Amino acid sequence: MLIDIGPLRRNPAFRLLFLSQFFSALGTMVSYVAVPWQLYQLTGSNMQVGLLGLAQLGPVVICGLLGGAVADRVDRKRLLIGSEAVMALCVSGLLLNAHAEAPSVVAIYLLVAVLQGASGFHRPALEALTQKAARPDEYAAVAALSSLRGTFGMVAGPALAGVLLAAGGAVWAYVFDCASFVLSMALLARLPRALVDDAKRGLEAPHLLADLAEGVSYARSKPELLGTYIVDNVAMAFAFPVALFPAMAQAYGQTESVGWLLSSMSIGALVVATFSGWTGRVTRHGRAVVVAAVVWAAGTVALGFAPGLWWAMVCLAVAGAADMVSGVFRGTIWNETIPNHLRGRLAGIEMISYLAGPLIGNARAGFSADAIGVFSAIWVGGVICVAGVVATGFLLPTFWRYRGGPARVGA
């Protein structure tokens, strides 16, 4: 049952990637709490917090596609380090803005948009390097470890953000994030050349747009990939309540509990990741993704009726655990069905899938909350999510029947 840490023991390159992104993810989650917290403090508006998601949506789509194509043509190690350098500069801009006598709301939107655009080049390079650093029989373990890394950041990051925000406001949170990027880049610089050298990269297609078209065409030709993208987008677009956490905390009379709400979701995910050894023996990955997404939606519906903070935290823990299961099997399907020479481009499409949904979901939640109330916006979105996920399973039977894991590796 315990998580398989074999790839960390056996593979120094994967270990460096894992550690670098461990620190980077921790700092990112601190800012992930600090930015909407600061925006809500400045405006007092759920709609303004929701608009933050729309400000990031364009960069996610455009840079996710371009970044994936670029990652399959250039030195992925340099692309990864360069992307983190740009992201660090954006966080430095947020730091200077927060330190100003009258912080600019427009500056927050612009800097976050650029930061999200840089992540569109960062994530494809990271996913392509990770796939190359692992063996095919390790993909489930690597997906679980990557999810554990992110989930730990989601637990510890918001908790740490709460301490930093209470002690020094958004300024201290942004300082911590900047320091995490510096440490991450130092570790990435030590990646071996054997992991990134590829003489064939960039020679298959005459120009970047041809690379991009090839990646999109491959994604469209695989129902099992389309199913992972659609399920995740539906789940996040209709049942992602994070933008409403500041308002929920205020409704419960504990404004400092924003970090607790976000951490609750991550605690559920962390428990599942810790005991994820069983995932390597599961073969019906498509069904696992659908069922997990339905449980996520059910947890969100229950959240809409939670009578107090502690019940809300339990609902979020259940939803987070289900999202972790979905994420592990989606990641495994991606690595099992995508060749490495296309991995950067498909990782860009994946990033659009799992980032666009939450951004749209935050905007939907913000607008809905102002129209029908905070808690009604939560449970109504969860009900729509259940219907959408179940419909996806029926409309994409190949995805529903997809088998992977040990059976696929053996074949």
Side-chain angles (χ1 to χ4, degrees):
M1 287 292 292
L2 288 175
I3 191 169
D4 180 6
I5 61 171
L8 287 173
R9 291 200 310 264
R10 293 186 291 265
N11 195 322
F14 176 73
R15 190 162 57 243
L16 281 172
L17 274 174
F18 183 90
L19 288 174
S20 72
Q21 298 312 298
F22 175 87
F23 294 114
S24 178
L26 183 62
T28 296
M29 285 308 302
V30 170
S31 289
Y32 186 73
V33 174
V35 170
W37 178 88
Q38 182 190 16
L39 194 58
Y40 191 73
Q41 294 297 311
L42 292 174
T43 66
S45 168
N46 290 311
M47 185 180 296
Q48 291 275 31
V49 177
L51 286 173
L52 190 65
L54 292 183
Q56 299 172 75
L57 184 58
V60 164
V61 175
I62 296 172
C63 296
L65 291 172
L66 291 178
V70 171
D72 285 337
R73 279 181 167 258
V74 304
D75 185 320
R76 290 162 173 169
K77 173 182 173 180
R78 291 182 180 178
L79 181 59
L80 197 58
I81 295 174
S83 300
E84 293 210 352
V86 173
M87 295 162 78
L89 289 175
C90 291
V91 176
S92 299
L94 289 170
L95 168 61
L96 294 175
N97 182 59
H99 193 66
E101 184 176 347
S104 168
V105 172
V106 174
I108 294 175
Y109 285 128
L110 291 175
L111 287 167
V112 169
V114 175
L115 180 64
Q116 198 66 72
S119 73
F121 292 87
H122 175 273
R123 192 72 186 192
L126 173 63
E127 294 293 343
L129 286 174
T130 299
Q131 186 196 45
K132 195 169 183 180
R135 301 196 311 255
D137 62 319
E138 295 176 329
Y139 286 156
V142 166
L145 285 167
S146 298
S147 297
L148 177 65
R149 176 188 65 211
T151 302
F152 179 83
M154 292 178 190
V155 174
L160 180 58
V163 174
L164 294 172
L165 291 172
V171 170
W172 284 26
Y174 298 142
V175 167
F176 181 88
D177 195 9
C178 287
S180 74
F181 276 123
V182 172
L183 181 55
S184 174
M185 287 186 284
L187 290 168
L188 290 174
R190 299 178 57 192
L191 284 174
R193 294 299 312 171
L195 183 66
V196 297
D197 283 339
D198 190 347
K200 296 181 180 180
R201 188 180 303 133
L203 300 179
E204 296 88 349
H207 52 76
L208 194 64
L209 291 180
D211 276 353
L212 182 57
E214 183 184 6
V216 173
S217 176
Y218 185 87
R220 292 177 58 187
S221 70
K222 297 287 185 180
E224 58 271 31
L225 292 180
L226 288 176
T228 63
Y229 304 151
I230 294 172
V231 165
D232 193 40
N233 267 284
V234 169
M236 297 296 108
F238 293 105
F240 194 69
V242 173
L244 302 181
F245 284 176
M248 289 178 64
Q250 184 171 307
Y252 291 137
Q254 296 176 266
T255 56
E256 73 281 2
S257 65
V258 173
W260 301 354
L261 292 170
L262 191 56
S263 291
S264 298
M265 208 161 35
S266 304
I267 288 171
L270 183 61
V271 171
V272 169
T274 302
F275 297 98
S276 61
W278 58 273
T279 59
R281 295 182 290 278
V282 173
T283 59
R284 297 184 181 276
H285 294 168
R287 296 185 183 184
V289 171
V290 171
V291 172
V294 170
V295 176
W296 155 269
T300 305
V301 172
L303 176 65
F305 296 97
L309 177 62
W310 291 107
W311 279 108
M313 292 171 67
V314 170
C315 295
L316 287 168
V318 171
D323 188 48
M324 169 59 70
V325 173
S326 173
V328 167
F329 288 113
R330 279 185 284 116
T332 305
I333 290 172
W334 295 337
N335 279 327
E336 286 178 342
T337 58
I338 303 170
N340 191 257
H341 74 278
L342 290 170
R343 192 65 186 94
R345 279 162 280 182
L346 272 294
I349 296 173
E350 293 156 17
M351 194 191 77
I352 294 172
S353 165
Y354 59 69
L355 287 184
L359 297 178
I360 295 171
N362 275 334
R364 182 211 65 82
F367 284 108
S368 298
D370 282 351
I372 62 175
V374 172
F375 293 96
S376 294
I378 293 172
W379 72 260
V380 168
V383 170
I384 297 173
C385 175
V386 171
V389 169
V390 172
T392 302
F394 277 107
L395 294 173
L396 292 174
T398 302
F399 165 58
W400 172 256
R401 294 193 299 264
Y402 175 82
R403 297 174 69 96
R408 188 176 183 87
V409 172

